[in-house]
Amino acid sequence: MGEVRGAEIMDLLVALNTGHEGGFSTVHANAAADVPARMEALAALAGLDRAALHSQLASAVQAVVHIRRDRDRRRRLSEISVLFRDQGGLVHVLDALRLRHRPPSQDHRDRDGDGDSYGDTAQVVVAGAGAQILDRMLAERGGPRPDLLRSAATGSRRC
C-alpha cells in the first residue's frame, strides 16, 4: 500500500495482518518515535480505538525506517527502529540505528564528470538496544544483514 493519510489505515492493518510475510507502506511522521502517535490519529479517523490500534500495530509492524531530507533536499536514511509492545498493550519505538551522513570527500566527487557525487558515508551516532533485535530479525528471516547494522549490534559506533 502506498502512503497512509487517513482512514485507509484500516486497509493497511488488515493487509499486514493476513499472515503473509512482508509488506510496507509510508506514513508521515517527524521521527520514528512519533509513528505510534501518528497511527493513533489516523486510526481515530477510521473509528478504531487506541487499544485496538496498538493490538493490530504490534502484530503487523516490526520495524520503522525513517527518511528525512538533507540540506540538499535529498532523501537520506535517518534512523531504523523496532517496535515493541509494553505490558499495558501500547506499542513503543526502540532505537536500532540513528545515522548521520557525511558528504563525500573531495576525491570521491564526480570522478566520471556526470555531476553525481558518490561515496557518501554514514556514521552511526546511536546504536540502541534495538540494533540487536533488528539484526536477529533479519537473521531469522534470512534477509541481508548490512555491515552497518552488524557493527551497531556488536557495539561499534562508526561504520
Side-chain angles (χ1 to χ4, degrees):
M1 178 175 277
E3 182 179 346
V4 177
R5 292 182 171 197
E8 68 272 7
I9 187 74
M10 288 295 297
D11 297 326
L12 174 66
L13 292 171
V14 167
L16 291 175
N17 278 306
T18 60
H20 297 286
E21 186 78 19
F24 66 92
S25 182
T26 61
V27 62
H28 286 250
N30 294 322
D34 296 333
V35 168
R38 177 73 173 136
M39 299 291 264
E40 283 182 23
L42 296 175
L45 295 173
L48 191 65
D49 69 26
R50 187 177 196 210
L53 174 272
H54 281 265
S55 178
Q56 293 294 306
L57 189 59
S59 64
V61 179
Q62 288 78 41
V64 173
V65 176
H66 186 245
I67 297 179
R68 87 175 33 185
R69 290 190 186 267
D70 66 12
R71 290 183 190 147
D72 296 329
R73 307 290 298 154
R74 292 179 296 182
R75 290 185 171 112
R76 298 287 192 167
L77 175 63
S78 173
E79 58 185 306
I80 301 173
S81 300
V82 294
L83 301 184
F84 71 97
R85 193 172 184 186
D86 68 18
Q87 291 179 343
L90 296 181
V91 172
H92 300 277
V93 175
L94 185 61
D95 282 337
L97 298 173
R98 285 188 188 222
L99 307 171
R100 180 174 53 214
H101 292 273
R102 294 175 294 183
S105 63
Q106 192 62 35
D107 63 334
H108 286 109
R109 291 179 190 231
D110 197 17
R111 287 188 184 164
D112 58 4
D114 67 359
D116 293 335
S117 64
Y118 60 94
D120 288 358
T121 57
Q123 178 183 14
V124 177
V125 292
V126 172
Q132 292 176 340
I133 296 168
L134 184 58
D135 189 53
R136 187 173 57 243
M137 254 194 295
L138 291 171
E140 289 170 359
R141 288 173 173 79
R145 295 167 58 209
D147 290 339
L148 182 67
L149 180 58
R150 279 188 297 222
S151 297
T154 59
S156 175
R157 302 291 271 174
R158 182 175 268 181
C159 302

